[in-house]
Amino acid sequence: MASSKYPIPTQLFIKDKLVDSHSPERYSLYNPVDESLFCDKVQYAAAEDVEAAVEAAVAAFNGPWRTYSGAQRGEVLQKLAVLLEEYKEELGWLDGTPIGKPVSAATMEIEFGASILRYYAGWTDKYAGESFPADDGFVKIVRHEPLGVTVGINPWNGPIGTLCLKLGPALATGNVMIIKPSEKTPFGTVRFAELATRAGIVPPGVIQALPGAGATGALLSSHMKVRKVSFTGSVATGRRIQQAASNSNMKRVTLELGGKSPSAVFDDCNFENAVFWSTLAITQNSGQACFAASRLFVQESIADKFIAAFAQAMKEASNKLGDPTKPETQLGPLADSSQFARVSSFFQQDAGQTKVLVGGKQHGERGFYWEPTILLNPKEDALVYREEIFGPVVCVKTFKDEADFIRMANDTEFGLMAGVFTQDINRAMRLSAELDSGVVGINCVSYINIQAPFGGTKQSGVGREMGHYALRCFTEPKTVLIK
């Protein structure tokens, strides 16, 4: 194992200390830049560890944390935001190195996470209930009460950012949270939970970290004392979590799942703007983003001109691939060998029958780098066109008119993100209503904002994150009737 820039927390964080897993097994992570060993002592939480963490969470929820006022919880979130910023270099290194995330992107993600916590700090004493007049002889009062022990099951592509999207509204509304980071990026979460508790920012048991793979997530999803699971990841895993929640205690779930997001470029668009966003949408985080606009539709009348400009932009994006430790690097490798194998598999199947306009192969001879790729006019039943690839690969097709675009855009089981590039505001608003998507960008795409809800339709998910909508997902309304 190579020398570490910072100590690597390979253990679990339960209640108020780092502890060894009850399982003797240890796992390895490799740097995707050169396939060198990063750590071979990673621990996964076993059943006994899950039980200990849940009991600590129950005690914290029923104990000191329950006495915190809204204003005090707001102070906690503000302090957690400061903590993130203070340790952003360490946390970024711990989570970015195992997946080859550029240091610039890792730092930006943590700063975004801090802004999320500050946003929810402002909500803690402002999430009001309701009351209704006694015009029928009854005073009606509605209170929003915390659920109790909640669980955040997070992905590897944005570990700290996703942590904050779940932890912020959970703590703001008075819940406690056990976080299960991805087995690919466990270290930043464990370190953050340790720092927050040992600094006295939160009482022991309020924030805990249980690294693990699917088995650990299954234990948490089926636990009878867990009242809520918020999951970000694949459709297949989300389905299993929903089933486990239903089969156990009907715990609440929020599921932010996959996408195959469409984007339309009309002939009246701001040309340069459309090229910029279309490129960014499929190359940010090397295409490893659930909301990546991976199906690009271009109006026939400007197809040749736009596709040529887009192809040039994607070729230039390949020049941004490089060493993730260098500040100037914007694109890193795919996360690991399994992710590289997944992307490659599409080019061993039906993607090989589609014209590859740009890319379509490994970049360089070492590491898991993949060139930004454009596939032109794939068949509508092709796997590369219908399934989420999770790499810098975009399918480009042409369309005649609005109806043609809507038909193709909505012909999918996903509905997370969509984009429309046009300077006709009437068309933009008309299409935003017709698209089956949780988020629609006008003259932008693959962008989210903390003030507005984020989530998907169809198999892209259940529930919403961000904005005050996330607060609803972490509270239960209670009606009080007074005669």
Side-chain angles (χ1 to χ4, degrees), residues 52 72 115 139 167 172 211 231 241 280 314 361 408 438:
Q72 287 175 313
S115 72
V139 176
L167 188 66
F231 168 75
I241 287 172
L280 178 67
M314 290 285 277
K361 63 183 185 298
M408 292 189 288

Side-chain angles (χ1 to χ4, degrees), residues 50-370:
V50 169
E51 194 63 37
V54 172
E55 289 303 318
V58 170
F61 177 70
N62 291 324
W65 184 241
R66 198 153 198 160
T67 68
Y68 278 50
S69 67
Q72 287 175 313
R73 294 196 302 274
E75 291 175 4
V76 164
L77 288 167
Q78 291 282 9
K79 290 177 182 178
L80 291 176
V82 171
L83 187 73
L84 273 183
E85 292 173 334
E86 183 180 352
Y87 287 87
K88 65 182 177 182
E89 182 179 337
E90 178 180 352
L91 296 173
W93 183 85
L94 286 171
D95 277 346
T97 308
I99 57 170
K101 177 174 285 190
V103 63
S104 58
T107 300
M108 188 181 302
E109 178 192 336
I110 293 170
E111 291 171 347
F112 176 58
S115 72
I116 294 170
L117 297 182
R118 286 196 173 95
Y119 172 83
Y120 284 109
W123 269 109
T124 56
D125 57 359
K126 302 175 186 67
Y127 188 44
E130 297 175 290
S131 65
F132 300 90
D135 52 6
D136 58 355
F138 294 86
V139 176
K140 284 81 66 177
I141 299 173
V142 180
R143 296 202 295 250
H144 300 295
E145 300 191 343
L147 299 172
V149 178
T150 66
V151 167
I153 301 179
N154 294 339
W156 50 263
N157 60 329
I160 294 295
T162 311
L163 181 156
C164 294
L165 283 177
K166 302 180 190 309
L167 188 66
L171 298 191
T173 48
N175 299 280
V176 298
M177 178 164 274
I178 299 169
I179 306 154
K180 192 208 81 67
S182 167
E183 62 272 29
K184 298 181 183 182
T185 52
F187 308 122
T189 297
V190 173
R191 179 63 170 146
F192 177 71
E194 178 191 18
L195 288 168
T197 305
R198 292 189 173 176
I201 297 174
V202 295
V206 172
I207 303 175
Q208 300 177 88
L210 296 182
T216 303
L219 289 166
L220 290 164
S221 301
S222 59
H223 200 288
M224 294 297 291
K225 291 183 179 179
V226 170
R227 299 300 172 185
K228 161 73 185 252
V229 173
S230 180
F231 168 75
T232 300
S234 71
V235 173
T237 303
R239 184 176 289 114
R240 290 194 292 271
I241 287 172
Q242 193 168 41
Q243 291 170 344
S246 177
N247 291 337
S248 54
N249 59 350
M250 295 293 288
K251 58 177 62 65
R252 307 295 183 259
V253 295
T254 296
L255 305 175
E256 196 273 282
L257 309 177
K260 194 69 177 177
S261 300
S263 183
V265 177
F266 283 87
D267 57 12
D268 68 340
C269 71
N270 179 318
F271 195 87
E272 290 74 19
N273 179 68
V275 171
F276 169 81
W277 280 98
S278 298
T279 307
L280 178 67
I282 197 62
T283 58
Q284 59 181 321
N285 209 20
S286 297
Q288 299 168 128
C290 55
F291 56 34
S294 55
R295 292 187 299 147
L296 179 61
F297 301 95
V298 185
Q299 196 162 26
E300 290 176 344
S301 54
I302 63 164
D304 290 344
K305 178 183 177 182
F306 184 87
I307 292 172
F310 180 48
Q312 181 60 35
M314 290 285 277
K315 289 177 182 176
E316 292 173 359
S318 292
N319 298 328
K320 300 175 183 178
L321 287 161
D323 182 351
T325 64
K326 294 182 178 179
E328 65 271 17
T329 298
Q330 297 183 34
L331 299 179
L334 299 176
D336 59 10
S337 59
S338 63
Q339 190 60 26
F340 184 84
R342 174 175 173 78
V343 174
S344 300
S345 70
F346 286 93
F347 293 84
Q348 297 159 10
Q349 301 176 58
D350 53 27
Q353 304 168 20
T354 303
K355 181 178 180 180
V356 179
L357 194 62
V358 174
K361 63 183 185 298
Q362 182 178 7
H363 178 83
E365 299 179 353
R366 189 177 71 160
F368 300 124
Y369 291 88
W370 192 269

